Amino acid sequence: MSVNIAKKFLEELARPFVGREEEAKVVTLTLLAREHAVFIGEPGTAKSAIVRRAADLLNAKFFKYLLTRFTEPAELFGPLDIKALEEGRYIRLTRGKLPDAEIAFLDEIFKANSAILNALNTLLQERLIYDGYTELAVPLWSLFGASNEVPEEPEVAAVYDRFLIRHFVKPVPEDCWAALLSKSWDLEKEMYFKGTISCEKVLDMRELRKLHEKVLNVDLEGIKGKLVKLFAIFESRGIHVTDRRKGKALKVIAANAVLEGRNVAIESDLLTLKYVIPRDWDELEKVNTILSEELKTPYRYIKELEEMKANLREVMNYVQSLRGVESRFVELRFRQIWRDLEISRDRVVSLMVEAKDESVEKVATEVLELIDKTIDIIRRRLRE
C-alpha cells in the first residue's frame, strides 16, 4: 500500500476548514503514531470538528464528551449492570461509551475530577481501564483532549504529560476571514440539505494500522544524535522534557517521515518537536526559536514577515484614514511612508531569496501585496 494515502487523508481532513491545515496535520500525525493529543486554545476554533471528521473518514467508533468537576465515571465508562450486580458481578455496560471507542474527544479535559483523571492516566498510558475488580482492555487508538488553557494544578500534571502531542490553537488570521465566511455558509447548507459533510473515504482503521507499522519501521538512526543535542539545548534554556516524552518523541518524528513518504527520518522531521516539547505558549515560542536556529528552518523568516504584515496593516489603516485630509503635513507624511515601503519591499525580496522556501515565499507574496496596495493608495492620493 502506498503511503501517499496518508497525504490524501490529510488533504481530505483539512478540506472543509479554513486556515486549519496545521491542526489537520497534528491530527494525522497523532493517528499515524497511535498516540494522544491535546488542543489548547479558545472555543470555536474547530478543535472537536476536525477530530470528529477524522473519525468519520476512518469509519471509526467515536466518542465525545464535555467534562466538568461533576462528571461521574458512569457518564464516560458506562453504567453498572444492575442485574449482574445482583448476582455479585461488577460489570459496566460500555456500549457507546469511551471503552467502546477507537477515537475519542474529551472537551475541557482538565476540569475532570480526580476519579476520572486517575482512570484517564491508565487509559492513556496502557489502554486499560481498572474498574473495581475488573481490568478491561479497550480498543482506543487515539484520544484527543481540548482545553481553553494550560493546566496549572499539580494533580493534572500526570494526565497532561501523557498527551504526547500538544498543539496550541489560534483563531484564523484576518486575511482568512472572507474565506471563513464563505466556507462556513457552504457547510451550513451542506449540513442542512445533505445531513452531513461530504468526504472521500481514502483510509480506514485497517489501513491506518498498516501505516502505523510503517511508522514503527522507520530508520531513526540518522537523527538520534541531533535529537539528543536538541534535548540538551532545551534543558539549558529552562525547558524541561520528561523521560517519557523524550522516548516517545521518536514516534512523532517517524510519523512525519511516513507522512512525507519516507522510511528514513531526516533532520527536517525534527520540526515536529514543536508539538511535543512546549508546555505552554511561552515555551512554544522558545522551542520554535531553538528549532529555527539549530535546524536552519524557515521559521525565523516567517516570523519577521508576519511581524511586517501586522505593521503594514496598521500603516494601511493609517493611510486610509488620512486619504481625504487636505494638508501639507499629510502629503509629506505620505511621501515618507512611500519611501519606507520601498525599503520594506527590498527587505521582503531579500528574505524570500535568502530562504529559498515555499512557505516563506507564500508569506512574502502576501506582504508584497500589502505594500503594493498601500503604495497605490498613496500614489492616487498624491495625484489628486
Side-chain angles (χ1 to χ4, degrees):
M1 179 186 60
S2 171
V3 293
N4 287 336
I5 196 171
K7 277 279 191 182
K8 291 180 181 178
F9 176 83
L10 170 58
E11 293 167 0
E12 183 59 26
L13 179 59
R15 184 181 59 80
F17 306 100
V18 172
R20 293 298 170 207
E21 292 80 9
E22 187 168 12
E23 285 69 30
K25 181 176 181 179
V26 167
V27 172
T28 303
L29 289 174
T30 304
L31 293 170
L32 289 174
R34 194 170 175 252
E35 275 297 334
H36 313 293
V38 61
F39 292 108
I40 308 291
E42 67 180 65
T45 46
K47 296 187 289 290
S48 64
I50 202 164
V51 176
R52 178 181 288 277
R53 180 168 176 81
D56 289 343
L57 288 170
L58 290 164
N59 195 28
K61 291 182 179 180
F62 180 68
F63 178 80
K64 174 184 175 183
Y65 212 79
L66 172 64
L67 300 181
T68 71
R69 291 292 182 193
F70 307 104
T71 303
E72 295 288 338
E75 297 175 56
L76 290 185
F77 307 120
L80 289 174
D81 185 334
I82 302 300
K83 185 176 180 180
L85 195 62
E86 291 173 349
E87 298 171 355
R89 294 180 294 129
Y90 193 87
I91 297 175
R92 286 196 181 272
L93 302 174
T94 59
R95 186 185 179 103
K97 297 293 185 178
L98 181 55
D100 192 41
E102 293 171 307
I103 296 176
F105 181 87
L106 298 181
D107 204 359
E108 295 295 351
I109 189 166
F110 302 124
K111 291 184 178 179
N113 56 52
S114 58
I116 289 176
L117 288 173
N118 288 336
L120 289 177
N121 272 330
T122 306
L123 179 68
L124 292 169
Q125 183 68 19
E126 305 174 49
R127 290 179 173 81
L128 292 174
I129 293 176
Y130 293 103
D131 191 5
Y133 303 100
T134 307
E135 178 181 292
L136 177 65
V138 297
L140 183 68
W141 186 269
S142 291
L143 188 146
F144 295 85
S147 175
N148 296 337
E149 55 195 6
V150 175
E152 299 295 338
E153 300 82 358
E155 62 268 23
V156 184
V159 173
Y160 191 41
D161 192 56
R162 281 168 169 76
F163 284 102
L164 177 61
I165 294 179
R166 300 165 177 168
H167 182 54
F168 298 85
V169 185
K170 298 179 181 179
V172 295
E174 183 178 346
D175 54 358
C176 291
W177 288 354
L180 176 66
L181 294 178
S182 298
K183 180 68 76 171
S184 297
W185 188 243
D186 290 342
L187 291 178
E188 287 292 337
K189 292 191 289 186
E190 189 172 358
M191 284 295 295
Y192 180 80
F193 290 112
K194 296 182 180 179
T196 184
I197 300 174
S198 61
C199 57
E200 179 187 352
K201 306 288 186 184
V202 296
L203 190 63
D204 59 28
M205 289 301 297
R206 178 183 58 83
E207 292 168 316
L208 179 60
R209 289 184 178 88
K210 291 183 179 179
L211 283 173
H212 179 60
E213 291 172 7
K214 289 182 179 293
V215 169
L216 297 178
N217 284 304
V218 167
D219 183 355
L220 296 161
E221 292 305 314
I223 55 88
K224 285 183 179 178
K226 187 69 174 182
L227 181 58
V228 170
K229 179 183 178 183
L230 286 170
F231 286 150
I233 294 172
F234 292 141
E235 292 289 342
S236 69
R237 304 278 183 93
I239 302 171
H240 178 63
V241 186
T242 64
D243 289 348
R244 184 202 333 267
R245 305 186 75 75
K246 286 187 179 80
K248 281 182 170 282
L250 292 171
K251 294 178 72 175
V252 185
I253 295 166
N256 193 72
V258 169
L259 185 59
E260 296 296 327
R262 291 179 274 101
N263 60 6
V264 177
I266 59 177
E267 193 168 289
S268 63
D269 293 320
L270 296 174
L271 286 172
T272 55
L273 291 174
K274 68 180 179 179
Y275 304 130
V276 177
I277 305 302
R279 184 191 177 279
D280 52 33
W281 290 93
D282 289 340
E283 285 194 359
L284 175 64
E285 183 67 22
K286 292 178 183 177
V287 168
N288 277 329
T289 300
I290 291 169
L291 293 176
S292 175
E293 293 170 351
E294 294 297 319
L295 303 178
K296 298 180 176 60
T297 71
Y299 173 75
R300 68 183 180 89
Y301 299 102
I302 292 176
K303 182 181 178 183
E304 181 176 345
L305 289 168
E306 291 289 356
E307 290 174 352
M308 291 178 68
K309 188 194 296 186
N311 292 334
L312 283 166
R313 287 199 183 103
E314 292 182 5
V315 171
M316 178 181 281
N317 290 335
Y318 174 74
V319 168
Q320 288 177 326
S321 70
L322 295 175
R323 186 165 49 180
V325 178
E326 295 294 336
S327 166
R328 177 65 177 167
F329 167 77
V330 171
E331 182 176 332
L332 291 173
R333 182 75 181 107
F334 274 17
R335 292 187 183 280
Q336 180 184 358
I337 292 174
W338 192 341
R339 288 193 295 271
D340 291 342
L341 289 172
E342 293 291 357
I343 294 171
S344 296
R345 186 207 299 275
D346 292 340
R347 175 58 180 164
V348 173
V349 173
S350 175
L351 290 173
M352 192 162 47
V353 172
E354 183 180 337
K356 297 178 181 178
D357 179 85
E358 288 185 8
S359 58
V360 174
E361 184 177 346
K362 180 177 181 292
V363 180
T365 301
E366 295 170 357
V367 175
L368 290 173
E369 288 175 356
L370 271 175
I371 291 174
D372 290 340
K373 287 179 182 178
T374 308
I375 288 177
D376 186 58
I377 294 171
I378 294 173
R379 183 185 293 113
R380 283 188 276 110
R381 166 65 176 79
L382 292 177
R383 285 176 178 173
E384 293 174 355

PDB file of all heavy atoms in Angstrom, residues 119-149:
ATOM      1  N   ALA A 119      -8.456   7.455  36.234  1.00  0.00           N
ATOM      2  CA  ALA A 119      -8.811   6.451  35.230  1.00  0.00           C
ATOM      3  C   ALA A 119      -8.189   6.790  33.881  1.00  0.00           C
ATOM      4  O   ALA A 119      -7.727   5.903  33.148  1.00  0.00           O
ATOM      5  CB  ALA A 119     -10.331   6.346  35.108  1.00  0.00           C
ATOM      6  N   LEU A 120      -8.151   8.084  33.542  1.00  0.00           N
ATOM      7  CA  LEU A 120      -7.571   8.502  32.262  1.00  0.00           C
ATOM      8  C   LEU A 120      -6.066   8.264  32.228  1.00  0.00           C
ATOM      9  O   LEU A 120      -5.501   7.973  31.161  1.00  0.00           O
ATOM     10  CB  LEU A 120      -7.882   9.984  31.998  1.00  0.00           C
ATOM     11  CG  LEU A 120      -9.332  10.321  31.669  1.00  0.00           C
ATOM     12  CD1 LEU A 120      -9.506  11.828  31.506  1.00  0.00           C
ATOM     13  CD2 LEU A 120      -9.794   9.600  30.398  1.00  0.00           C
ATOM     14  N   ASN A 121      -5.399   8.395  33.357  1.00  0.00           N
ATOM     15  CA  ASN A 121      -3.964   8.120  33.408  1.00  0.00           C
ATOM     16  C   ASN A 121      -3.657   6.729  32.880  1.00  0.00           C
ATOM     17  O   ASN A 121      -2.761   6.529  32.045  1.00  0.00           O
ATOM     18  CB  ASN A 121      -3.453   8.248  34.846  1.00  0.00           C
ATOM     19  CG  ASN A 121      -3.030   9.660  35.190  1.00  0.00           C
ATOM     20  OD1 ASN A 121      -2.597  10.407  34.316  1.00  0.00           O
ATOM     21  ND2 ASN A 121      -3.166  10.029  36.448  1.00  0.00           N
ATOM     22  N   THR A 122      -4.400   5.752  33.381  1.00  0.00           N
ATOM     23  CA  THR A 122      -4.181   4.359  32.952  1.00  0.00           C
ATOM     24  C   THR A 122      -4.635   4.154  31.516  1.00  0.00           C
ATOM     25  O   THR A 122      -3.982   3.464  30.737  1.00  0.00           O
ATOM     26  CB  THR A 122      -4.949   3.397  33.875  1.00  0.00           C
ATOM     27  OG1 THR A 122      -4.577   3.666  35.228  1.00  0.00           O
ATOM     28  CG2 THR A 122      -4.624   1.959  33.545  1.00  0.00           C
ATOM     29  N   LEU A 123      -5.752   4.766  31.169  1.00  0.00           N
ATOM     30  CA  LEU A 123      -6.288   4.619  29.811  1.00  0.00           C
ATOM     31  C   LEU A 123      -5.303   5.147  28.776  1.00  0.00           C
ATOM     32  O   LEU A 123      -5.033   4.503  27.754  1.00  0.00           O
ATOM     33  CB  LEU A 123      -7.620   5.361  29.710  1.00  0.00           C
ATOM     34  CG  LEU A 123      -8.317   5.332  28.348  1.00  0.00           C
ATOM     35  CD1 LEU A 123      -8.800   3.922  28.032  1.00  0.00           C
ATOM     36  CD2 LEU A 123      -9.484   6.302  28.323  1.00  0.00           C
ATOM     37  N   LEU A 124      -4.742   6.324  29.013  1.00  0.00           N
ATOM     38  CA  LEU A 124      -3.816   6.935  28.065  1.00  0.00           C
ATOM     39  C   LEU A 124      -2.512   6.167  27.957  1.00  0.00           C
ATOM     40  O   LEU A 124      -1.942   6.030  26.871  1.00  0.00           O
ATOM     41  CB  LEU A 124      -3.534   8.387  28.469  1.00  0.00           C
ATOM     42  CG  LEU A 124      -4.710   9.366  28.355  1.00  0.00           C
ATOM     43  CD1 LEU A 124      -4.373  10.679  29.039  1.00  0.00           C
ATOM     44  CD2 LEU A 124      -5.068   9.609  26.901  1.00  0.00           C
ATOM     45  N   GLN A 125      -2.026   5.684  29.080  1.00  0.00           N
ATOM     46  CA  GLN A 125      -0.730   5.017  29.092  1.00  0.00           C
ATOM     47  C   GLN A 125      -0.802   3.560  28.631  1.00  0.00           C
ATOM     48  O   GLN A 125       0.032   3.105  27.845  1.00  0.00           O
ATOM     49  CB  GLN A 125      -0.140   5.076  30.505  1.00  0.00           C
ATOM     50  CG  GLN A 125       1.252   4.474  30.636  1.00  0.00           C
ATOM     51  CD  GLN A 125       2.308   5.284  29.907  1.00  0.00           C
ATOM     52  OE1 GLN A 125       2.094   6.458  29.593  1.00  0.00           O
ATOM     53  NE2 GLN A 125       3.447   4.672  29.629  1.00  0.00           N
ATOM     54  N   GLU A 126      -1.793   2.831  29.120  1.00  0.00           N
ATOM     55  CA  GLU A 126      -1.837   1.383  28.896  1.00  0.00           C
ATOM     56  C   GLU A 126      -3.026   0.914  28.066  1.00  0.00           C
ATOM     57  O   GLU A 126      -3.120  -0.255  27.722  1.00  0.00           O
ATOM     58  CB  GLU A 126      -1.869   0.660  30.253  1.00  0.00           C
ATOM     59  CG  GLU A 126      -0.720   1.025  31.184  1.00  0.00           C
ATOM     60  CD  GLU A 126      -0.874   0.400  32.559  1.00  0.00           C
ATOM     61  OE1 GLU A 126      -1.138  -0.818  32.613  1.00  0.00           O
ATOM     62  OE2 GLU A 126      -0.764   1.119  33.560  1.00  0.00           O
ATOM     63  N   ARG A 127      -3.947   1.835  27.768  1.00  0.00           N
ATOM     64  CA  ARG A 127      -5.198   1.486  27.095  1.00  0.00           C
ATOM     65  C   ARG A 127      -5.953   0.401  27.871  1.00  0.00           C
ATOM     66  O   ARG A 127      -6.441  -0.567  27.307  1.00  0.00           O
ATOM     67  CB  ARG A 127      -4.945   1.076  25.638  1.00  0.00           C
ATOM     68  CG  ARG A 127      -4.522   2.270  24.772  1.00  0.00           C
ATOM     69  CD  ARG A 127      -4.249   1.901  23.337  1.00  0.00           C
ATOM     70  NE  ARG A 127      -4.004   3.089  22.536  1.00  0.00           N
ATOM     71  CZ  ARG A 127      -2.850   3.750  22.469  1.00  0.00           C
ATOM     72  NH1 ARG A 127      -1.828   3.311  23.189  1.00  0.00           N
ATOM     73  NH2 ARG A 127      -2.721   4.825  21.722  1.00  0.00           N
ATOM     74  N   LEU A 128      -5.972   0.593  29.169  1.00  0.00           N
ATOM     75  CA  LEU A 128      -6.686  -0.290  30.091  1.00  0.00           C
ATOM     76  C   LEU A 128      -7.557   0.554  31.006  1.00  0.00           C
ATOM     77  O   LEU A 128      -7.225   1.718  31.294  1.00  0.00           O
ATOM     78  CB  LEU A 128      -5.708  -1.093  30.961  1.00  0.00           C
ATOM     79  CG  LEU A 128      -4.840  -2.157  30.289  1.00  0.00           C
ATOM     80  CD1 LEU A 128      -3.842  -2.708  31.303  1.00  0.00           C
ATOM     81  CD2 LEU A 128      -5.690  -3.283  29.718  1.00  0.00           C
ATOM     82  N   ILE A 129      -8.654  -0.028  31.442  1.00  0.00           N
ATOM     83  CA  ILE A 129      -9.493   0.602  32.454  1.00  0.00           C
ATOM     84  C   ILE A 129      -9.596  -0.347  33.634  1.00  0.00           C
ATOM     85  O   ILE A 129      -9.992  -1.511  33.471  1.00  0.00           O
ATOM     86  CB  ILE A 129     -10.898   0.921  31.900  1.00  0.00           C
ATOM     87  CG1 ILE A 129     -10.809   1.999  30.818  1.00  0.00           C
ATOM     88  CG2 ILE A 129     -11.827   1.382  33.022  1.00  0.00           C
ATOM     89  CD1 ILE A 129     -12.126   2.310  30.161  1.00  0.00           C
ATOM     90  N   TYR A 130      -9.199   0.139  34.805  1.00  0.00           N
ATOM     91  CA  TYR A 130      -9.354  -0.635  36.028  1.00  0.00           C
ATOM     92  C   TYR A 130     -10.626  -0.158  36.722  1.00  0.00           C
ATOM     93  O   TYR A 130     -10.734   0.997  37.115  1.00  0.00           O
ATOM     94  CB  TYR A 130      -8.143  -0.433  36.951  1.00  0.00           C
ATOM     95  CG  TYR A 130      -6.867  -1.008  36.405  1.00  0.00           C
ATOM     96  CD1 TYR A 130      -5.903  -0.192  35.835  1.00  0.00           C
ATOM     97  CD2 TYR A 130      -6.636  -2.378  36.447  1.00  0.00           C
ATOM     98  CE1 TYR A 130      -4.722  -0.717  35.319  1.00  0.00           C
ATOM     99  CE2 TYR A 130      -5.456  -2.919  35.938  1.00  0.00           C
ATOM    100  CZ  TYR A 130      -4.510  -2.085  35.379  1.00  0.00           C
ATOM    101  OH  TYR A 130      -3.339  -2.609  34.870  1.00  0.00           O
ATOM    102  N   ASP A 131     -11.577  -1.043  36.839  1.00  0.00           N
ATOM    103  CA  ASP A 131     -12.875  -0.673  37.381  1.00  0.00           C
ATOM    104  C   ASP A 131     -13.280  -1.687  38.441  1.00  0.00           C
ATOM    105  O   ASP A 131     -13.739  -2.784  38.123  1.00  0.00           O
ATOM    106  CB  ASP A 131     -13.913  -0.632  36.258  1.00  0.00           C
ATOM    107  CG  ASP A 131     -15.209   0.012  36.706  1.00  0.00           C
ATOM    108  OD1 ASP A 131     -15.256   0.507  37.843  1.00  0.00           O
ATOM    109  OD2 ASP A 131     -16.170   0.008  35.931  1.00  0.00           O
ATOM    110  N   GLY A 132     -13.103  -1.317  39.677  1.00  0.00           N
ATOM    111  CA  GLY A 132     -13.421  -2.273  40.731  1.00  0.00           C
ATOM    112  C   GLY A 132     -12.466  -3.445  40.687  1.00  0.00           C
ATOM    113  O   GLY A 132     -11.267  -3.308  40.859  1.00  0.00           O
ATOM    114  N   TYR A 133     -13.003  -4.632  40.420  1.00  0.00           N
ATOM    115  CA  TYR A 133     -12.180  -5.850  40.356  1.00  0.00           C
ATOM    116  C   TYR A 133     -11.873  -6.242  38.909  1.00  0.00           C
ATOM    117  O   TYR A 133     -11.354  -7.308  38.651  1.00  0.00           O
ATOM    118  CB  TYR A 133     -12.913  -7.003  41.053  1.00  0.00           C
ATOM    119  CG  TYR A 133     -13.273  -6.695  42.488  1.00  0.00           C
ATOM    120  CD1 TYR A 133     -14.562  -6.303  42.830  1.00  0.00           C
ATOM    121  CD2 TYR A 133     -12.317  -6.782  43.493  1.00  0.00           C
ATOM    122  CE1 TYR A 133     -14.899  -6.016  44.140  1.00  0.00           C
ATOM    123  CE2 TYR A 133     -12.646  -6.486  44.814  1.00  0.00           C
ATOM    124  CZ  TYR A 133     -13.944  -6.105  45.126  1.00  0.00           C
ATOM    125  OH  TYR A 133     -14.262  -5.812  46.421  1.00  0.00           O
ATOM    126  N   THR A 134     -12.199  -5.361  37.966  1.00  0.00           N
ATOM    127  CA  THR A 134     -12.088  -5.708  36.556  1.00  0.00           C
ATOM    128  C   THR A 134     -10.980  -4.918  35.875  1.00  0.00           C
ATOM    129  O   THR A 134     -10.840  -3.713  36.095  1.00  0.00           O
ATOM    130  CB  THR A 134     -13.422  -5.437  35.813  1.00  0.00           C
ATOM    131  OG1 THR A 134     -14.470  -6.103  36.505  1.00  0.00           O
ATOM    132  CG2 THR A 134     -13.354  -5.927  34.381  1.00  0.00           C
ATOM    133  N   GLU A 135     -10.199  -5.590  35.039  1.00  0.00           N
ATOM    134  CA  GLU A 135      -9.221  -4.936  34.174  1.00  0.00           C
ATOM    135  C   GLU A 135      -9.711  -5.095  32.745  1.00  0.00           C
ATOM    136  O   GLU A 135      -9.786  -6.211  32.231  1.00  0.00           O
ATOM    137  CB  GLU A 135      -7.846  -5.585  34.345  1.00  0.00           C
ATOM    138  CG  GLU A 135      -6.787  -4.990  33.432  1.00  0.00           C
ATOM    139  CD  GLU A 135      -5.434  -5.661  33.594  1.00  0.00           C
ATOM    140  OE1 GLU A 135      -4.837  -5.502  34.654  1.00  0.00           O
ATOM    141  OE2 GLU A 135      -5.012  -6.360  32.655  1.00  0.00           O
ATOM    142  N   LEU A 136     -10.051  -3.987  32.123  1.00  0.00           N
ATOM    143  CA  LEU A 136     -10.664  -4.032  30.796  1.00  0.00           C
ATOM    144  C   LEU A 136      -9.738  -3.400  29.757  1.00  0.00           C
ATOM    145  O   LEU A 136      -9.405  -2.218  29.848  1.00  0.00           O
ATOM    146  CB  LEU A 136     -12.007  -3.288  30.813  1.00  0.00           C
ATOM    147  CG  LEU A 136     -12.761  -3.175  29.485  1.00  0.00           C
ATOM    148  CD1 LEU A 136     -13.199  -4.557  29.002  1.00  0.00           C
ATOM    149  CD2 LEU A 136     -13.969  -2.258  29.636  1.00  0.00           C
ATOM    150  N   ALA A 137      -9.301  -4.202  28.766  1.00  0.00           N
ATOM    151  CA  ALA A 137      -8.523  -3.675  27.644  1.00  0.00           C
ATOM    152  C   ALA A 137      -9.478  -3.008  26.663  1.00  0.00           C
ATOM    153  O   ALA A 137     -10.537  -3.560  26.350  1.00  0.00           O
ATOM    154  CB  ALA A 137      -7.750  -4.790  26.960  1.00  0.00           C
ATOM    155  N   VAL A 138      -9.127  -1.828  26.178  1.00  0.00           N
ATOM    156  CA  VAL A 138     -10.029  -1.083  25.305  1.00  0.00           C
ATOM    157  C   VAL A 138      -9.410  -0.927  23.912  1.00  0.00           C
ATOM    158  O   VAL A 138      -8.178  -0.959  23.756  1.00  0.00           O
ATOM    159  CB  VAL A 138     -10.339   0.309  25.898  1.00  0.00           C
ATOM    160  CG1 VAL A 138     -11.057   0.161  27.233  1.00  0.00           C
ATOM    161  CG2 VAL A 138      -9.068   1.132  26.060  1.00  0.00           C
ATOM    162  N   PRO A 139     -10.248  -0.732  22.879  1.00  0.00           N
ATOM    163  CA  PRO A 139      -9.737  -0.604  21.510  1.00  0.00           C
ATOM    164  C   PRO A 139      -9.280   0.809  21.161  1.00  0.00           C
ATOM    165  O   PRO A 139      -9.033   1.105  19.988  1.00  0.00           O
ATOM    166  CB  PRO A 139     -10.959  -0.998  20.668  1.00  0.00           C
ATOM    167  CG  PRO A 139     -12.128  -0.557  21.486  1.00  0.00           C
ATOM    168  CD  PRO A 139     -11.717  -0.781  22.919  1.00  0.00           C
ATOM    169  N   LEU A 140      -9.164   1.683  22.157  1.00  0.00           N
ATOM    170  CA  LEU A 140      -8.838   3.079  21.894  1.00  0.00           C
ATOM    171  C   LEU A 140      -7.549   3.211  21.082  1.00  0.00           C
ATOM    172  O   LEU A 140      -6.511   2.685  21.456  1.00  0.00           O
ATOM    173  CB  LEU A 140      -8.671   3.828  23.222  1.00  0.00           C
ATOM    174  CG  LEU A 140      -8.391   5.325  23.105  1.00  0.00           C
ATOM    175  CD1 LEU A 140      -9.597   6.069  22.551  1.00  0.00           C
ATOM    176  CD2 LEU A 140      -7.992   5.892  24.466  1.00  0.00           C
ATOM    177  N   TRP A 141      -7.642   3.920  19.966  1.00  0.00           N
ATOM    178  CA  TRP A 141      -6.470   4.188  19.129  1.00  0.00           C
ATOM    179  C   TRP A 141      -5.840   5.525  19.521  1.00  0.00           C
ATOM    180  O   TRP A 141      -4.658   5.601  19.830  1.00  0.00           O
ATOM    181  CB  TRP A 141      -6.866   4.201  17.653  1.00  0.00           C
ATOM    182  CG  TRP A 141      -5.703   4.328  16.719  1.00  0.00           C
ATOM    183  CD1 TRP A 141      -5.163   5.478  16.233  1.00  0.00           C
ATOM    184  CD2 TRP A 141      -4.917   3.264  16.192  1.00  0.00           C
ATOM    185  NE1 TRP A 141      -4.095   5.202  15.416  1.00  0.00           N
ATOM    186  CE2 TRP A 141      -3.925   3.839  15.367  1.00  0.00           C
ATOM    187  CE3 TRP A 141      -4.964   1.879  16.311  1.00  0.00           C
ATOM    188  CZ2 TRP A 141      -2.979   3.084  14.676  1.00  0.00           C
ATOM    189  CZ3 TRP A 141      -4.020   1.123  15.620  1.00  0.00           C
ATOM    190  CH2 TRP A 141      -3.046   1.717  14.814  1.00  0.00           C
ATOM    191  N   SER A 142      -6.645   6.582  19.527  1.00  0.00           N
ATOM    192  CA  SER A 142      -6.147   7.909  19.915  1.00  0.00           C
ATOM    193  C   SER A 142      -7.235   8.656  20.674  1.00  0.00           C
ATOM    194  O   SER A 142      -8.403   8.620  20.289  1.00  0.00           O
ATOM    195  CB  SER A 142      -5.745   8.734  18.685  1.00  0.00           C
ATOM    196  OG  SER A 142      -4.592   8.197  18.058  1.00  0.00           O
ATOM    197  N   LEU A 143      -6.819   9.320  21.733  1.00  0.00           N
ATOM    198  CA  LEU A 143      -7.728  10.181  22.474  1.00  0.00           C
ATOM    199  C   LEU A 143      -7.265  11.623  22.315  1.00  0.00           C
ATOM    200  O   LEU A 143      -6.077  11.928  22.487  1.00  0.00           O
ATOM    201  CB  LEU A 143      -7.762   9.804  23.954  1.00  0.00           C
ATOM    202  CG  LEU A 143      -8.828  10.505  24.800  1.00  0.00           C
ATOM    203  CD1 LEU A 143      -9.343   9.582  25.899  1.00  0.00           C
ATOM    204  CD2 LEU A 143      -8.309  11.806  25.416  1.00  0.00           C
ATOM    205  N   PHE A 144      -8.202  12.484  21.964  1.00  0.00           N
ATOM    206  CA  PHE A 144      -7.918  13.905  21.795  1.00  0.00           C
ATOM    207  C   PHE A 144      -8.621  14.676  22.909  1.00  0.00           C
ATOM    208  O   PHE A 144      -9.810  14.481  23.151  1.00  0.00           O
ATOM    209  CB  PHE A 144      -8.398  14.398  20.428  1.00  0.00           C
ATOM    210  CG  PHE A 144      -7.681  13.775  19.266  1.00  0.00           C
ATOM    211  CD1 PHE A 144      -8.096  12.550  18.757  1.00  0.00           C
ATOM    212  CD2 PHE A 144      -6.593  14.402  18.688  1.00  0.00           C
ATOM    213  CE1 PHE A 144      -7.427  11.956  17.688  1.00  0.00           C
ATOM    214  CE2 PHE A 144      -5.914  13.817  17.622  1.00  0.00           C
ATOM    215  CZ  PHE A 144      -6.339  12.589  17.121  1.00  0.00           C
ATOM    216  N   GLY A 145      -7.869  15.519  23.573  1.00  0.00           N
ATOM    217  CA  GLY A 145      -8.439  16.373  24.592  1.00  0.00           C
ATOM    218  C   GLY A 145      -8.425  17.817  24.133  1.00  0.00           C
ATOM    219  O   GLY A 145      -7.734  18.174  23.178  1.00  0.00           O
ATOM    220  N   ALA A 146      -9.191  18.645  24.816  1.00  0.00           N
ATOM    221  CA  ALA A 146      -9.211  20.076  24.495  1.00  0.00           C
ATOM    222  C   ALA A 146      -9.371  20.867  25.786  1.00  0.00           C
ATOM    223  O   ALA A 146     -10.038  20.431  26.728  1.00  0.00           O
ATOM    224  CB  ALA A 146     -10.332  20.406  23.526  1.00  0.00           C
ATOM    225  N   SER A 147      -8.742  22.027  25.811  1.00  0.00           N
ATOM    226  CA  SER A 147      -8.832  22.906  26.972  1.00  0.00           C
ATOM    227  C   SER A 147      -8.619  24.338  26.504  1.00  0.00           C
ATOM    228  O   SER A 147      -7.902  24.585  25.521  1.00  0.00           O
ATOM    229  CB  SER A 147      -7.779  22.534  28.020  1.00  0.00           C
ATOM    230  OG  SER A 147      -7.787  23.453  29.095  1.00  0.00           O
ATOM    231  N   ASN A 148      -9.255  25.272  27.215  1.00  0.00           N
ATOM    232  CA  ASN A 148      -9.045  26.674  26.883  1.00  0.00           C
ATOM    233  C   ASN A 148      -7.726  27.198  27.412  1.00  0.00           C
ATOM    234  O   ASN A 148      -7.262  28.262  26.988  1.00  0.00           O
ATOM    235  CB  ASN A 148     -10.196  27.527  27.457  1.00  0.00           C
ATOM    236  CG  ASN A 148     -11.526  27.186  26.836  1.00  0.00           C
ATOM    237  OD1 ASN A 148     -11.592  26.662  25.727  1.00  0.00           O
ATOM    238  ND2 ASN A 148     -12.607  27.471  27.551  1.00  0.00           N
ATOM    239  N   GLU A 149      -7.122  26.473  28.349  1.00  0.00           N
ATOM    240  CA  GLU A 149      -5.893  26.960  28.958  1.00  0.00           C
ATOM    241  C   GLU A 149      -5.006  25.805  29.408  1.00  0.00           C
ATOM    242  O   GLU A 149      -5.465  24.666  29.554  1.00  0.00           O
ATOM    243  CB  GLU A 149      -6.234  27.852  30.157  1.00  0.00           C
ATOM    244  CG  GLU A 149      -7.115  27.171  31.178  1.00  0.00           C
ATOM    245  CD  GLU A 149      -7.732  28.133  32.162  1.00  0.00           C
ATOM    246  OE1 GLU A 149      -7.553  29.353  31.980  1.00  0.00           O
ATOM    247  OE2 GLU A 149      -8.381  27.674  33.116  1.00  0.00           O
TER     248      GLU A 149
END
